[in-house]
Amino acid sequence: MFGLIGHLTSLEHAQSVANALGYPEYAHQGLDFWCAAPPQIVDYFHVTSVTGQVIEGKYVESCFLPEMLTNRRIKAAIRKILNAMALAQKNDINITALGGFSSIVFEEFNLRDNPQVRNVELEFDRFTTGNTHTAYIICRQVEQAAAKLGIDLARATVAVCGATGDIGSAVCRWLDQKTETAELLLIARNQERLTNLQAELGRGKIMELEEALPLADIIVWVASMPKGVEINPETLKKPCLIIDGGYPKNLSTKIQHPEVHILKGGIVEHTLDIDWKIMQIVSMDIPSRQMFACFAEAILLEFESWHTNFSWGRNQITIPKMEQIGTASLKHGLQPLLSW
Ligand code: NDP
């Protein structure tokens, strides 16, 4: 059995889908109520691979909301993630993905130092961030979508916003070692981490967002932002490929320009047979055929019986691990989303 720990993208989103999640009494409640709400298992499903193998999974809604971070409700955020992990473990789930902000809260607030959740001692090797597969899928999206648009990576400038993060640093490593990418622009706030990444890569220009965006043929957004930013499409290169891997999305602007192509990042298309309702609730465009790459990592680990915390810690993702999960991804019929 595999598990997925997820959350909704905002209080407004949570209120709008409370009915579908099975707790209508939450629909009109504010942030305080969501801060107090316990995690719940809201979906139970089977997944059938192209190989014929069938596995079972459960979706744990943590009731975490990004507003808990922006409103400094840190204790509530921490409680949400630890309680959701304890619930997954109590349900004997072998391997559970910490989706979206779950792994970010885990890392940011050093939750590995708090393994005791009431009577449950968390076994961390039952959890994975899913970030290795997410980084792999985003890199394949860069390569394949660039080719589709006629952007030659050997002449292209790629800006990575959130470059020093777990996913961002893995994307930079892959683009550096596995592609001919001409120029890498590294964007984040903490200068020391940026300098360390630049030293590790032996390349890359550290830049502010505003100065980097107009120079980029491809922009990869993998910043941990509770709320999306607005950008002016007029300032972008044409054509420009934007891959937004944030959850919630890093971009809040609805850009409609024939030469600016926005791809949802870290999303896989699949031919798996899955009887779940949760992808509809999280507003996936084609709920029966698409899912988050981090959730897919838990599914792949269960299919392959790799019951281990495959992705763990920050900035530990290696190219061989990305290739390993990438091979499993292809084997079970997953493809990076390439349509915009
Ligand atoms: P990390 O916390 O490891 O890294 C976040 C990065 O974003 C850091 O480089 C951080 O650097 C940077 N950052 C944060 N805020 C800003 C800002 N305002 N401006 C510029 N840079 C910023 O996060 P992950 O790598 O684990 O996750 C990244 C994103 O991917 C998140 O939105 C997450 O929800 C999403 N995600 C998507 C998945 C999918 O399946 N599609 C799966 C897992 C995660 P600094 O603090 O120095 O600015």
Side-chain angles (χ1 to χ4, degrees):
M1 168 101 67
F2 69 92
L4 312 169
I5 293 178
H7 63 84
L8 301 163
T9 55
S10 65
L11 177 60
E12 194 187 345
H13 180 206
Q15 290 167 332
S16 70
V17 298
N19 247 332
L21 278 175
Y23 28 88
E25 65 279 18
Y26 289 20
H28 304 290
Q29 301 290 348
L31 191 61
D32 281 348
F33 184 91
W34 286 82
C35 283
Q40 310 210 25
I41 292 180
V42 295
D43 212 357
Y44 168 62
F45 33 80
H46 294 84
V47 182
T48 310
S49 163
V50 285
T51 64
Q53 193 183 345
V54 183
I55 55 174
E56 301 175 282
K58 285 183 176 168
Y59 177 86
V60 182
E61 171 54 53
S62 67
C63 292
F64 165 83
L65 293 174
E67 284 91 341
M68 290 174 194
L69 297 182
T70 45
N71 287 282
R72 305 298 302 159
R73 305 295 295 268
I74 306 301
K75 279 191 183 152
I78 290 174
R79 222 172 35 240
K80 300 281 132 191
I81 305 311
L82 289 175
N83 286 343
M85 292 172 79
L87 183 62
Q89 190 170 311
K90 272 203 289 198
N91 275 268
D92 285 331
I93 298 175
N94 299 321
I95 187 75
T96 299
L98 300 175
F101 264 77
S102 317
S103 63
I104 295 169
V105 169
F106 186 91
E107 285 300 332
E108 199 61 37
F109 303 109
N110 297 317
L111 302 195
R112 71 191 66 241
D113 298 339
N114 295 320
Q116 196 68 41
V117 184
R118 292 178 301 282
N119 61 342
V120 178
E121 164 118 22
L122 290 176
E123 294 162 20
F124 293 138
D125 57 358
R126 287 169 175 251
F127 298 91
T128 186
T129 64
N131 286 350
T132 310
H133 189 236
T134 303
Y136 166 81
I137 290 296
I138 290 175
C139 292
R140 301 298 290 155
Q141 287 180 302
V142 171
E143 293 169 0
Q144 294 175 19
K148 202 170 150 181
L149 290 172
I151 299 174
D152 178 6
L153 282 178
R155 294 150 60 106
T157 296
V158 181
V160 182
C161 182
T164 54
D166 196 35
I167 299 172
S169 60
V171 168
C172 290
R173 269 176 224 122
W174 181 283
L175 293 180
D176 174 45
Q177 292 178 39
K178 300 276 295 179
T179 73
E180 303 283 304
T181 300
E183 186 91 75
L184 272 175
L185 309 182
L186 312 176
I187 305 154
R189 294 163 305 176
N190 182 302
Q191 292 303 307
E192 191 185 344
R193 285 202 291 260
L194 279 166
T195 317
N196 290 345
L197 175 69
Q198 189 185 44
E200 179 202 321
L201 297 171
R203 63 181 287 195
K205 284 192 185 146
I206 297 171
M207 279 196 175
E208 295 292 329
L209 183 65
E210 294 70 27
E211 67 177 322
L213 293 186
L215 304 175
D217 301 285
I218 301 173
I219 304 166
V220 178
W221 289 88
V222 278
S224 51
M225 296 192 287
K227 205 165 176 290
V229 295
E230 296 204 2
I231 61 170
N232 177 1
E234 294 311 319
T235 62
L236 301 176
K237 259 189 165 177
K238 313 288 178 328
C240 182
L241 168 63
I242 300 181
I243 300 182
D244 187 350
Y247 182 83
K249 291 278 152 242
N250 283 177
L251 277 187
S252 64
T253 321
K254 296 240 178 305
I255 297 175
Q256 284 189 327
H257 188 289
E259 287 188 278
V260 179
H261 307 274
I262 303 184
L263 193 54
K264 291 184 176 172
I267 305 290
V268 289
E269 292 197 300
H270 63 87
T271 50
L272 303 169
D273 191 8
I274 316 180
D275 55 342
W276 60 12
K277 61 177 184 194
I278 196 64
M279 288 303 129
Q280 201 135 12
I281 292 173
V282 295
S283 315
M284 202 55 78
D285 287 342
I286 309 175
S288 60
R289 288 282 159 256
Q290 297 173 355
M291 72 171 109
F292 298 108
C294 61
F295 286 177
E297 181 170 305
I299 292 176
L300 294 171
L301 297 181
E302 178 72 1
F303 272 138
E304 295 296 320
S305 295
W306 296 338
H307 293 150
T308 166
N309 46 0
F310 192 84
S311 308
W312 205 240
R314 245 190 193 144
N315 297 20
Q316 311 281 324
I317 298 174
T318 61
I319 305 276
K321 294 273 292 260
M322 289 169 78
E323 287 172 331
Q324 184 186 348
I325 202 75
T327 304
S329 187
L330 286 172
K331 173 179 163 189
H332 291 285
L334 308 185
Q335 299 283 343
L337 175 72
L338 283 179
S339 47
W340 37 76

